[in-house]
Amino acid sequence: MSQFDVAVIGAGPGGYIAAIRAAQLGFKTVCIDAGVNKAGDAPALGGTCLNVGCIPSKALLQSSEHFHAAQHDFAEHGITVGDVKFDAAKMIERKDGIVTKLTGGIKFLFQKNKVESLFGKGSLKGRNGDVWQVEVDNKGEKSVVEAKHVIIATGSVPRPLPLIDIDNVNVLDNEGALNLTEVPKKLGVIGSGVIGLEMGSVWKRVGSEVTILEAMPTFLAAADQQIAKEAFKVFTKEQGLAIELGVKINEIKNDKNGVTVSYEVGGGAKTETFDKLIVSIGRIPNTEGLNAEGVGLEKDERGFIKVDGECRTNLPNVWAIGDVVRGPMLAHKASDEGVAVAERIAGQKPHLDFNTIPFVIYTDPEIAWVGKTEEQLKAEGVEYKKGTSGFAANGRALGLGKAKGTVKVLACAKTDRVLGVHMIGPMVSELVAEGVMSMEFSASSEDIARIVHAHPTLSEVLHEAALAADKRALHG
């Protein structure tokens, strides 16, 4: 029986990073994962994010943006193109190549850092003295490893919709939405969260008629509503996405005629038939097969593994990180928790602040934020001031042909400390990092305003918003 200091169950962004950091700290480490490649004939590390989530979706978004630009934007740059054609299968092939490269890269990193990789489903068998026994089930062939510490990083799975089964032929989850090799004439999307908006954007750009059905009455309720309202206007009026809010779905039928959705909205009944339907109503923690009940691992009422502020479970030397525990379901949150747990096992005192974790939606324009929204500050009774600036007059944005969007800086009215930064615009997924760093170092809006920002850059819009928070904007 193989013995280790640390056994990690799951090789997604939380698990594989935790395993690498543990190995760097001198622990004999094994990472157990049951992921397989698209063909289903070989192991694939990286979890949902690398295989059917973050990475492939960004590849498709970029491809669809290029196609849209060739059709609609090149002419104003003096570039004339002929009959622009789109090959969905080629786009998927490119996406698959990127996934293969990155998942193979994790295998290389494991070898470089001397992390042992075991293929199979990991579950907790119980304690043998002061070590844990972890069973590895490789398609029925079972083995057991022992480890002093276990890190559970099993991630999440799509939330099912009781009205219809996912077949990934006509009714799709995130994986099916990433593998369409033909452009559907009519595409329905249930859920206007990150997956719904990103996948809706991809297929709209390449020719689909897209309708998004959202149960919530508010668009992007988690985002700052000034930014959300601007986004809604861009997506619907300018880009042609049909987004229905406050929807109650009554029935879904999947037959030879397509996928028919019957629903109520605004007090009236509607029925739409789609060629394909994407179901993206959120994700739930993946604890299936862990034997949580058998070993007494506690979960909360929503199925998340209970942990304290340092990711310790109720079981000695068993930790849990990422989507399977409380907090935002984000790859970068999982990775940082993985690093922190490995360092805690080594006796270090790392710190992770959930208030400074950035959120990004990779639509066009992109949406990103960190910290409190204006609505949250009002609800909490916090006195604040704000500054906003737009990309419309930014030289770099105009040169890119992407001069839409806004940056908002929220700061404490008494101390000027930055409380939140919210953005919609070009490449704000990169720009939000400046807001994260400002908050991590307890910067004031004046600190951002007094930092020299290169000209011409998109970052000048954040600089201008910080100036505006002190009512001294220079360009607005």
Side-chain angles (χ1 to χ4, degrees), residues 300-315:
D300 67 17
E301 64 280 358
R302 296 188 298 158
F304 290 94
I305 295 174
K306 287 185 178 180
V307 290
D308 65 11
E310 296 189 333
C311 292
R312 291 182 175 87
T313 71
N314 66 301
L315 302 177

Side-chain angles (χ1 to χ4, degrees), residues 187-191 196-197 199-200 210-214 274 277-278 280:
L187 175 67
V189 182
I190 299 179
L197 288 174
M199 289 297 93
V210 179
T211 300
I212 298 176
L213 306 176
E214 169 58 50
F274 305 104
L277 178 71
I278 299 173
S280 55

Side-chain angles (χ1 to χ4, degrees), residues 50 55-56 59 93-103:
L50 265 68
I55 300 303
E93 181 184 334
R94 174 182 180 270
K95 176 265 295 182
D96 290 342
I98 292 170
V99 169
T100 299
K101 182 176 182 178
L102 289 177
T103 55

